Every structure is written in structure tokens, then in C-alpha cells.
């Protein structure tokens, strides 16, 4: 037995070494949740207000039985099935969504984590306590059946309990979890964090990459690659190097997915570079937004064009920015989405930090050859980012369009993400970045940094503002060595806290996004679904700012907001003049 296992392990190891991905399952072939006639009929009949409802429903029996019964229904009616028949079919064969998980109170949750004591403003401190309590509402644990009968669920089994974003997002999400984890670490909950990391690592072991979220219908696409960064934050807090040692091969495997499946070679001005992009080479509508994708594609006459539209929509979803004029080439219209033709700044900044972290993990563990591989990968990426994404005249990085071989000079907070990632630490860069923010009048938006300056009706555009994007700007400036950049970081954090706090006072809720065009601050809108409450990453970023600036932040009021910002703006201008 032992010998056979040993040989098996050796074969597996060799397989990994040689990059043999053939052993991995295809990214979802479920004839119920990912593709097929049943999915098409149900979604196009719009049995539910949100297409996500159906693909989240567990089966009441085996998938073979469901498909057999459905085929019988089809053939007994010569292909015609009425809406009523579909409805009763679904009722008989499926269960309501959401029952596969129980709420779970994190075992390491306790009152009064230390960082609360450093928040001076009593109203903000009380609010931070509320936010800390919200982890108890957002904790989930999967029922054992999901593990023992996985083919009856779209949910991907995760053995450890975890924190969900909230609202319609009742499973875990990949990039959301990064800011959730930063919040949990401030809340002194490293056990919960370790469990979430373990789930992600298990999923990489099983599928070779991390899907957008914890459902099989998300398997074709990933989301911004932050797993190694999550491990980095966890290690910083806990020094749990054993956990890193046990899992470093899996972290490497995930980055290999990005290197193999999501990279692109670019020849530019006589030199060759390799950078990453979001790219999902699979057609078909997104199962959880099926009817919307079908209706949009119906505007295109040719099958090829429809399939490539669907692939680009999936790549847009993979970027986390679903959707945004950032991915539209030629107009502000969703039909012109070409996500795969964009080299995004943030994706490459995240990978740049991930490569640096893996190099340091390998070197701590004494594996110098692997440390060297990652140092070189990072160095090459920096050269490529400098050559293609940086613009010295404008003082920022920009997305690079592969079709036009030009930068997209639109404003997005992600343009500053290389500073956040710590990939370019020359203080002169931070100075250029703040001039760039001033040139774009970003400080005139008093309720948060806008997602873009384009109004497209999409949720990742003006006037929406999102918590992680605030962090991408604030932390980069705050950790630079320029005092002016640090002052600006504080002001931006204060604006965001005022908005979050004002809306919380009004609605007793945290939201996934905010509308910064409305004077008192409001939950955001636009896009494919209603604004969601919860909300994991918003809570995480608020806690992060409250921790960083607890000695200075104020809960403020409308008029105070105005006068304080004016004062700070005046100081900044003075700083410029002197
Ligand atoms: C990554 O690429 C390999 C081959 O190039 C392919 O077999 C695999 O399915 C791809 N992974 C995903 C998730 O698309
Ligand atoms: C990029 O070029 C390298 C070296 O020529 C090659 O090995 C790799 O497969 C290319 N990658 C892509 C995505 O074309
Ligand atoms: C860049 O790549 C092209 C195509 O792979 C190759 O012909 C060319 O020699 C390369 N240029 C440099 C400077 O390496
Ligand atoms: C930087 O921006 C300026 C002004 O728009 C433009 O003329 C220049 O070509 C850009 N540089 C790069 C490297 O794209
Ligand atoms: C900032 O300055 C400190 C001390 O002078 C130095 O140790 C650190 O590396 C600098 N950081 C950056 C981002 O330049």
C-alpha cells in the first residue's frame, strides 16, 4: 500500500513539475448548472427575478434523474414546455437556494479587539464595534451533504467555515476575501482567516485555480489574484511559517495558472514583454446572468460574434469590474466590451506583489532556486510595466490597449495600484501620482474616489465608489515617503469614512458600493442587480481606515465635512505654492 501511494505521489509530483494540467477537471461541464437545455429553458422563461436564483438551487435527486425527467418532459410535449410546466418541474426537482449553508459564529470572535481602543471619536468607535459584530452575521458553514453529494449542488464544497460578502452573494468570492481578511485580522480572528485560506488552497489543489466565487458555474473564470497576498497578510500577523511551508506549492500552482492561461506577449517598439490580462476563452452565456447575456447577444447577427461577446463578458466578470466602460473599446456600450484586449494595471500590480511575496516565502524556507525564479519574474514584470503602462508626462500608470498599442488615459483608481502594491517605491513616483490626482480633480469628489469619470450606467463607473478602490489609492499614498501624499491619503480616507458612516447612521447598513454624487452619500446603483447590503469588503476597508487613522478621523457632519475639506484643500494648495 505504502509503496503504491509513494509511486502515485511521485507521479502526481512529476505531473505538476511538467505542468501537465490534463489531470484537472474541465471548468464545469454540469448539464444543469453550466450548460444545456434545462438551464436555457428555465433562464429564458425568467422564472425568477434574478437568474442567479435558479443556478443556486440544490437538486432534490441525482442529476441523472433530473436530466432524464426533463428529457421525458421535452419529448412528451414535442419540445414544447410551458412556463407553468417548467415551474412545476423546477419545484419538483429542486430545493430553494441558501439551505446548503448554516450561519456560523466565528469561534475566534471576541469583544473588544485592541484596535478599537485607538479610535478617538466616540461615535466612530461605537460604529467600529458594530462593524466588528457584523462578522457574526456574515459567517457561514456548509452542511456536510454538500461534501458527500457534491453533484446535487452548484456550491463548491469548502470544509472550513468562512465569511461571505452578504446580500445576493451567499457564497464566498475570491477578491472580496482579501479585504474581508484584512478586516478579520484587525478583529484578531486569525483562525477564521486560516480556514478561509485553507478553503482557497484546497480549491487550487482540486481545480488548478480559484474561481470567481464558490459555485461551479464560476469555474471558467477567476477573479483578481490575491491569494498569495492574503497569505502574506496572515503571515505578517501570525508568523505561521509552517502553514506557508505546507502550502507554498499550491500558491506557486495558482500563479502558474495566471502565467500559463492569462499572459500575453507584446512586441512594442522593438522589444518583447510579457504581462497579464483577464481572458476567459469560453463562449456561452454566464449561467447566473443567462437571460441578460442572451438578450444582449441577440443584437448581434453572427454566432461567432455572440460567442466572443460572451467570452469578453466573462473576462469582464473575471476582472471584478463587471461591468465598466474601462473594458469598452470604441464606445460606452456593453456590446463593445473587449476585456481581453486590455492589459490592466491592477492585475499586473497584484501579480507583481504576489511574485515578490513568493520570492520572499521561498527564501525564508531556504529554496533559493525558486526564490530566484520569482525575483526574476517580478523584475521582468516591472520592466514591462514601466515600458507599457507608465506615463511620465501624466505621472501615472494606465491600462494598455492591445488593439491600438496605446494607453487608455481615462481615470481609474486602479491606475495608482502599483504604488499600493509596493512595486515602485521611488518617492518621486508618489509625488507624480498626487499631481495626477490633482490634475484629475479627484479631491473635489467629497464622498469618495469615483470608479471612473465616465457615466455609462454600469456599476463600475461614475458615480459609484467602491471600498477596495479607496484602499488601492489610500494605502499606496499613505505608505509612500512623501508627506504631501500621506496628507492626501488621510483626506481621502476621511471622506470615505464620512460617507460610510453617514449612510450607516441613516440605514443601519453597510453596502457594496456608494453613490458619491449625492450629497449625503447613498448606496450605489446601476448594473445588473440591486445594490447589496452586508458587506464584507466595505466593512474590511472601513476597519482598515479606522485602524490606520483612529487618532485623527472624525465622525463629522455635513457642514463640518465641508469646512474641514476646505481647510485641508487650502493647506494642500499652500503646500503646492511653497
Ligand atoms: C488552462 O490552460 C490549459 C491548457 O493550456 C487548459 O487545459 C485548462 O483548461 C485551462 N484552465 C482553465 C481554467 O481554463
Ligand atoms: C510568450 O513567449 C514565450 C517565449 O517565446 C512562449 O514560451 C510563450 O508560450 C508565449 N506566451 C503566449 C501567451 O503566447
Ligand atoms: C521578439 O519576438 C519576436 C517574435 O517572437 C522575435 O522575432 C523577435 O526577435 C523578438 N525580439 C527581441 C528583441 O527579442
Ligand atoms: C503619455 O501621455 C502623453 C499625453 O497624453 C502622450 O503624448 C504620450 O504618448 C504618452 N506616453 C506613453 C508612453 O504612452
Ligand atoms: C521611506 O523612508 C524610510 C526611512 O528613510 C525607508 O526605510 C523606506 O524604505 C522608505 N520607503 C519608501 C517607500 O521609499
Amino acid at each position: 500500500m505504502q509503496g503504491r501511494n509513494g509511486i502515485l505521489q511521485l507521479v502526481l509530483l512529476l505531473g505538476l513539475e511538467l505542468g501537465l494540467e490534463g489531470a484537472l477537471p474541465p471548468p464545469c461541464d454540469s448539464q444543469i448548472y453550466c450548460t444545456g437545455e434545462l438551464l436555457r429553458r428555465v433562464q429564458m422563461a425568467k422564472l425568477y427575478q434574478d437568474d442567479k436564483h435558479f443556478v443556486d438551487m440544490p437538486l432534490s435527486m441525482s442529476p441523472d434523474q433530473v436530466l432524464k425527467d426533463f428529457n421525458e418532459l421535452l419529448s412528451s410535449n414535442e419540445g414544447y414546455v410551458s412556463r407553468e410546466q417548467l415551474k412545476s418541474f423546477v419545484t419538483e426537482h429542486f430545493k430553494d437556494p441558501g439551505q446548503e449553508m448554516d450561519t456560523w459564529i466565528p469561534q475566534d470572535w471576541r469583544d473588544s479587539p485592541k484596535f478599537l481602543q485607538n479610535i478617538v471619536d466616540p461615535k466612530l468607535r461605537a460604529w467600529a464595534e458594530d462593524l466588528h459584530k457584523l462578522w457574526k452575521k456574515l459567517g457561514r458553514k456548509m452542511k456536510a451533504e454538500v461534501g458527500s453529494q457534491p453533484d446535487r449542488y452548484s456550491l463548491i464544497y469548502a470544509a472550513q467555515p468562512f465569511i461571505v460578502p452578504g446580500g445576493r452573494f451567499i457564497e464566498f468570492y475570491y477578491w472580496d476575501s482579501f479585504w474581508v481578511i484584512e478586516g478579520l485580522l484587525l478583529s484578531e480572528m486569525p483562525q477564521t482567516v486560516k480556514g478561509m485560506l485553507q478553503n482557497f488552497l484546497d480549491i487550487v489543489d482540486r481545480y488548478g485555480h480559484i474561481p470567481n466565487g464558490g459555485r461551479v458555474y464560476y469555474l471558467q473564470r477567476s477573479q483578481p489574484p490575491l491569494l498569495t497576498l492574503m497569505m502574506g497578510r496572515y503571515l505578517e500577523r501570525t508568523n505561521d511559517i509552517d502553514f506557508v511551508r505546507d502550502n507554498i506549492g499550491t500558491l506557486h500552482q495558482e500563479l502558474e495558472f495566471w502565467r500559463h492561461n492569462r499572459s500575453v506577449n507584446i512586441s512594442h517598439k522593438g522589444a518583447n514583454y510579457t504581462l497579464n490580462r483577464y481572458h476567459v476563452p469560453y463562449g456561452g452565456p454566464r449561467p447566473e446572468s443567462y437571460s441578460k447575456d442572451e438578450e444582449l447577444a441577440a443584437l448581434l447577427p453572427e454566432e461567432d460574434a455572440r460567442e466572443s461577446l460572451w467570452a469578453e463578458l466573462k473576462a469582464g466578470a473575471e476582472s471584478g469590474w463587471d461591468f465598466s466602460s474601462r473594458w469598452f473599446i470604441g464606445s460606452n456600450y456593453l456590446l463593445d466590451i473587449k476585456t481581453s484586449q486590455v492589459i490592466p494595471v491592477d492585475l499586473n500590480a497584484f501579480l507583481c506583489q504576489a511574485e515578490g511575496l513568493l520570492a520572499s516565502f521561498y527564501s525564508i524556507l531556504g529554496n533559493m532556486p525558486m526564490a530566484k525564479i520569482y525575483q526574476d519574474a517580478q523584475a521582468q514584470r516591472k520592466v514591462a510595466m514601466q515600458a507599457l503602462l507608465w506615463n511620465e508626462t501624466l505621472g501615472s500608470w494606465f491600462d494598455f490597449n492591445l488593439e491600438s498599442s496605446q494607453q487608455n488615459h481615462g481615470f481609474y483608481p486602479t491606475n495608482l495600484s502599483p504604488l499600493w502594491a509596493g512595486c515602485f517605491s521611488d518617492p518621486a513616483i508618489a509625488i507624480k501620482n498626487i499631481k495626477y490626482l490633482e490634475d484629475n480633480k479627484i479631491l473635489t469628489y467629497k464622498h469618495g474616489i469615483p470608479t471612473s469619470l465616465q457615466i455609462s450606467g454600469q456599476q463600475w463607473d461614475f458615480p459609484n465608489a467602491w471600498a477596495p478602490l479607496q484602499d488601492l489609492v489610500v494605502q499606496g499614498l499613505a505608505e509612500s515617503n512623501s508627506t504631501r501624499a500621506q496628507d492626501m491619503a488621510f483626506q481621502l480616507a476621511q471622506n470615505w469614512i464620512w460617507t460610510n458612516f453617514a449612510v450607516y447612521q441613516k440605514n443601519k447598513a453597510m453596502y457594496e458600493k456608494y453613490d458619491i454624487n449625492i450629497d449625503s452619500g447613498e448606496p450605489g446603483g446601476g448594473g445588473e442587480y440591486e445594490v447589496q447590503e452586508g458587506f464584507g469588503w466595505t466593512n474590511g476597508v472601513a476597519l482598515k481606515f479606522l485602524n490606520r487613522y483612529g487618532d485623527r478621523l472624525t465622525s463629522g457632519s455635513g457642514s463640518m465635512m465641508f469646512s474641514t475639506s476646505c481647510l485641508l484643500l487650502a493647506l494642500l494648495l499652500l503646500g503646492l505654492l511653497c
Side-chain angles (χ1 to χ4, degrees):
M1 276 316 275
Q2 192 108 45
R4 246 174 83 196
N5 272 340
I7 290 169
L8 240 174
Q9 263 175 10
L10 189 72
V11 170
L12 280 173
L13 269 174
L14 277 174
L16 277 182
E17 287 297 322
L18 298 171
L20 297 180
E21 283 138 356
L24 293 169
C28 197
D29 50 3
S30 161
Q31 290 294 306
I32 294 170
Y33 294 120
C34 297
T35 156
E37 194 58 14
L38 173 58
L39 176 71
R40 197 176 77 76
R41 297 272 178 136
V42 172
Q43 299 294 43
M44 294 316 288
K46 300 196 184 182
L47 292 190
Y48 307 97
Q49 202 186 2
D50 186 338
D51 286 353
K52 191 169 181 302
H53 186 107
F54 173 64
V55 285
D56 288 354
M57 294 175 92
L59 308 184
S60 307
M61 57 199 78
S62 76
D64 288 346
Q65 188 65 47
V66 173
L67 289 169
K68 187 166 158 283
D69 291 354
F70 185 67
N71 285 333
E72 273 167 23
L73 177 67
L74 276 181
S75 52
S76 71
N77 290 287
E78 290 170 347
Y80 177 78
V81 185
S82 73
R83 196 184 149 84
E84 287 316 308
Q85 283 173 308
L86 265 181
K87 205 163 204 168
S88 42
F89 182 87
V90 172
T91 313
E92 281 159 25
H93 293 81
F94 290 80
K95 299 188 221 171
D96 284 341
Q99 299 171 16
E100 10 25 342
M101 280 175 279
D102 294 316
T103 48
W104 165 78
I105 299 197
Q107 267 140 33
D108 52 357
W109 190 94
R110 52 187 59 84
D111 271 325
S112 319
K114 278 189 222 71
F115 83 98
L116 289 173
Q117 292 162 20
N118 304 328
I119 303 172
V120 172
D121 184 307
K123 285 188 187 154
L124 289 183
R125 196 183 327 124
W127 175 51
E129 267 169 50
D130 286 1
L131 297 182
H132 172 62
K133 285 189 188 126
L134 279 175
W135 300 131
K136 293 198 281 190
K137 282 201 176 161
L138 297 174
R140 296 289 182 279
K141 186 169 172 46
M142 287 187 196
K143 290 185 177 154
E145 300 97 89
V146 183
S148 58
Q149 296 193 305
D151 59 356
R152 295 195 177 191
Y153 299 87
S154 63
L155 199 63
I156 295 172
Y157 184 66
Q160 304 299 320
F162 51 91
I163 302 290
V164 296
R168 94 198 258 268
F169 304 111
I170 55 176
E171 51 289 292
F172 64 76
Y173 281 80
Y174 184 8
W175 78 314
D176 290 69
S177 299
F178 174 81
W179 285 275
V180 167
I181 280 177
E182 290 214 304
L184 290 171
L185 290 170
L186 285 171
S187 283
E188 296 170 26
M189 297 164 66
Q191 272 315 111
T192 298
V193 171
K194 188 173 187 173
M196 290 174 71
L197 286 170
Q198 189 64 61
N199 288 338
F200 284 130
L201 293 161
D202 290 347
I203 284 172
V204 175
D205 286 340
R206 249 148 80 203
Y207 298 103
H209 71 287
I210 299 177
N212 181 313
R215 297 274 175 185
V216 292
Y217 55 74
Y218 286 136
L219 274 168
Q220 289 178 339
R221 59 191 199 243
S222 189
Q223 243 189 356
L226 293 164
L227 176 62
T228 298
L229 279 64
M230 296 184 217
M231 182 65 99
R233 302 304 187 273
Y234 169 77
L235 180 65
E236 228 170 65
R237 281 267 162 173
T238 60
N239 284 321
D240 187 357
I241 190 69
D242 291 338
F243 190 57
V244 177
R245 180 182 298 110
D246 290 345
N247 293 293
I248 187 133
T250 307
L251 296 177
H252 167 61
Q253 195 188 354
E254 202 233 356
L255 290 188
E256 284 290 279
F257 164 79
W258 288 89
R259 194 169 69 86
H260 279 295
N261 296 57
R262 297 293 187 263
S263 69
V264 57
N265 291 331
I266 309 150
S267 263
H268 190 68
K269 297 189 176 155
N272 293 332
Y273 306 98
T274 305
L275 283 171
N276 287 78
R277 59 173 169 169
Y278 296 108
H279 178 51
V280 182
Y282 295 101
R286 289 168 300 154
E288 84 289 2
S289 300
Y290 198 103
S291 61
K292 286 199 170 69
D293 284 3
E294 272 288 358
E295 283 159 13
L296 186 68
L299 302 171
L300 297 173
E302 277 151 26
E303 186 61 24
D304 280 2
R306 287 197 289 272
E307 293 296 343
S308 67
L309 170 67
W310 285 327
E312 295 295 357
L313 288 170
K314 288 176 183 179
E318 181 168 82
S319 77
W321 286 49
D322 38 338
F323 290 103
S324 170
S325 62
R326 190 178 168 198
W327 313 128
F328 302 165
I329 290 184
S331 79
N332 267 352
Y333 194 50
L334 198 50
L335 269 184
D336 285 329
I337 186 166
K338 283 228 174 135
T339 320
S340 70
Q341 296 307 304
V342 176
I343 303 293
V345 180
D346 44 350
L347 171 58
N348 287 285
F350 295 149
L351 289 170
C352 183
Q353 187 178 107
E355 286 156 351
L357 281 168
L358 261 198
S360 78
F361 296 165
Y362 273 119
S363 110
I364 296 169
L365 297 172
N367 186 339
M368 292 312 161
M370 284 304 288
K372 174 85 169 57
I373 284 175
Y374 275 101
Q375 278 155 10
D376 292 349
Q378 192 195 41
Q380 281 175 22
R381 185 182 301 281
K382 285 187 190 178
V383 168
M385 288 173 77
Q386 191 68 26
L388 297 172
L389 310 184
W390 175 252
N391 190 304
E392 180 67 21
T393 316
L394 300 177
S396 179
W397 293 272
F398 295 97
D399 294 345
F400 184 84
N401 180 333
L402 292 170
E403 282 189 354
S404 64
S405 287
Q406 283 185 346
Q407 297 173 341
N408 168 4
H409 289 158
F411 171 79
Y412 312 104
T414 44
N415 289 350
L416 266 60
S417 55
L419 197 63
W420 177 92
C423 270
F424 296 89
S425 53
D426 177 357
I429 287 192
I431 304 280
K432 285 174 188 150
N433 280 178
I434 58 175
K435 181 169 182 310
Y436 168 70
L437 291 176
E438 283 161 353
D439 289 346
N440 283 277
K441 304 193 168 50
I442 296 311
L443 278 174
T444 63
Y445 299 98
K446 290 287 174 277
H447 303 297
I449 307 164
T451 307
S452 79
L453 303 180
Q454 302 270 337
I455 299 175
S456 68
Q458 298 300 330
Q459 60 170 349
W460 290 85
D461 270 314
F462 196 85
N464 282 341
W466 296 79
L469 304 184
Q470 313 300 308
D471 183 50
L472 286 186
V473 175
V474 168
Q475 173 167 308
L477 296 176
E479 294 191 353
S480 74
N481 268 353
S482 145
T483 36
R484 276 185 54 222
Q486 289 163 6
D487 290 346
M488 190 182 271
F490 169 70
Q491 183 56 47
L492 293 168
Q494 175 70 81
N495 289 350
W496 186 246
I497 289 295
W498 274 326
T499 300
N500 281 197
F501 182 70
V503 176
Y504 188 83
Q505 293 286 90
K506 235 180 348 194
N507 301 355
K508 285 284 168 288
M510 297 294 284
Y511 293 91
E512 60 164 353
K513 58 182 180 264
Y514 292 83
D515 180 341
I516 56 158
N517 220 11
I518 294 171
D519 216 30
S520 53
E522 283 289 340
E528 301 186 299
Y529 51 79
E530 294 299 309
V531 65
Q532 302 295 313
E533 282 183 34
F535 198 94
W537 66 13
T538 313
N539 305 356
V541 170
L543 292 179
K544 209 174 154 179
F545 289 177
L546 287 164
N547 174 56
R548 184 187 281 278
Y549 298 118
D551 57 338
R552 288 196 271 166
L553 286 171
T554 66
S555 50
S557 68
S559 61
M560 249 187 80
M561 280 169 73
F562 185 64
S563 58
T564 319
S565 338
C566 271
L567 189 72
L568 274 156
L569 205 72
L571 284 176
L572 267 174
L573 286 174
L574 258 176
L576 259 181
L577 289 174
C578 299

